[in-house]
Amino acid sequence: IKTTDGGLSWSKLTIASSNFYMLHSVFFPCYDTGYCLGFDETAGNYIFLKSTDAGLNWTVQTLTSEFYALYFTEANTGYLVGRYGKILKTTDGGNSWVTQSSGTTNYLEYISFTDKNHGWISGSGYLVLKTSDGGLHWTTATQGVYHVSGPICFIDSLTGYAVELGEISKTTNGGFTWDTLSYWPNSAHFTAISFADASHGCAVGFD
């Protein structure tokens, strides 16, 4: 679905296919160009979708592995992360992909960048990976110590937020250490977090 009035109303978008798609991740780096990840229930494949007309039409690309999240730093430059530590990068809008070394076989499930060079990935085993050179090198920021394996959002190269079940955490040193800001162990399960600027953010989920 799509809004052009700040969320007051929404219109349904369609994909020209008879297959049944389950879409779980979407990212628009600019107004007209957007990307999605999903699973083709009919064919049994993970898929990558691209639109260049603000979501009116989509092309579908079959993926050879499981990927759970994507992030684009520019219209044509982006990343996919997924099963067994897989990271793919494209610089041509998904026409071709280059595998990047993560140094792990953990499942990588969430990704956030603040510019074309600085990015973070969180995954299973309370793992957080970090790059400062556009993914040429990924290093472990922290693993197993802090409860960070869920959705993450960074607002600059040092400051980031993460949610895990009922916990909201914050880092001020690029992900090396995390402090718990809020904890609702029995009444909340957060599934996403986003910040518009240094002071204003939102976490959503269910209870």
Side-chain angles (χ1 to χ4, degrees):
I1 58 176
K2 174 183 177 179
T3 181
T4 56
D5 55 14
L8 294 177
S9 62
W10 295 84
S11 59
K12 184 179 180 180
L13 303 176
T14 59
I15 300 171
S17 175
S18 59
N19 289 15
F20 180 72
Y21 297 150
M22 293 184 62
L23 306 179
H24 56 74
S25 187
V26 62
F27 196 95
F28 271 75
C30 56
Y31 168 76
D32 55 356
T33 303
Y35 303 91
C36 281
L37 277 178
F39 187 75
D40 183 340
E41 290 278 354
T42 306
N45 299 316
Y46 281 82
I47 52 174
F48 170 81
L49 302 91
K50 178 181 179 179
S51 174
T52 56
D53 56 9
L56 295 178
N57 296 282
W58 296 84
T59 58
V60 181
Q61 178 184 143
T62 298
L63 299 173
T64 58
S65 185
E66 295 182 23
F67 289 93
Y68 309 129
L70 78 171
Y71 197 102
F72 275 71
T73 58
E74 299 171 348
N76 292 312
T77 302
Y79 303 80
L80 306 182
V81 297
R83 190 180 187 186
Y84 298 143
K86 278 225 168 189
I87 304 173
L88 297 183
K89 180 179 181 178
T90 182
T91 56
D92 57 12
N95 292 324
S96 61
W97 298 91
V98 175
T99 299
Q100 296 189 326
S101 176
S102 67
T104 182
T105 57
N106 291 38
Y107 283 31
L108 306 179
E109 299 175 283
Y110 304 96
I111 182 170
S112 175
F113 272 77
T114 56
D115 55 47
K116 65 179 182 179
N117 291 318
H118 296 87
W120 295 260
I121 297 170
S122 64
S124 62
Y126 299 129
L127 172 68
V128 177
L129 301 178
K130 178 180 179 180
T131 183
S132 58
D133 55 15
L136 291 176
H137 302 90
W138 290 93
T139 58
T140 301
T142 183
Q143 182 174 9
V145 178
Y146 303 96
H147 288 179
V148 178
S149 62
I152 54 175
C153 175
F154 275 76
I155 59 175
D156 57 44
S157 62
L158 296 176
T159 307
Y161 298 85
V163 291
E164 172 72 15
L165 299 178
E167 186 172 348
I168 300 177
S169 301
K170 179 180 181 179
T171 180
T172 56
N173 57 13
F176 292 104
T177 60
W178 297 80
D179 295 316
T180 299
L181 299 181
S182 301
Y183 186 45
W184 294 275
N186 300 313
S187 60
H189 186 125
F190 296 111
T191 56
I193 186 167
S194 180
F195 271 74
D197 54 41
S199 301
H200 299 87
C202 181
V204 298
F206 59 90
D207 58 16

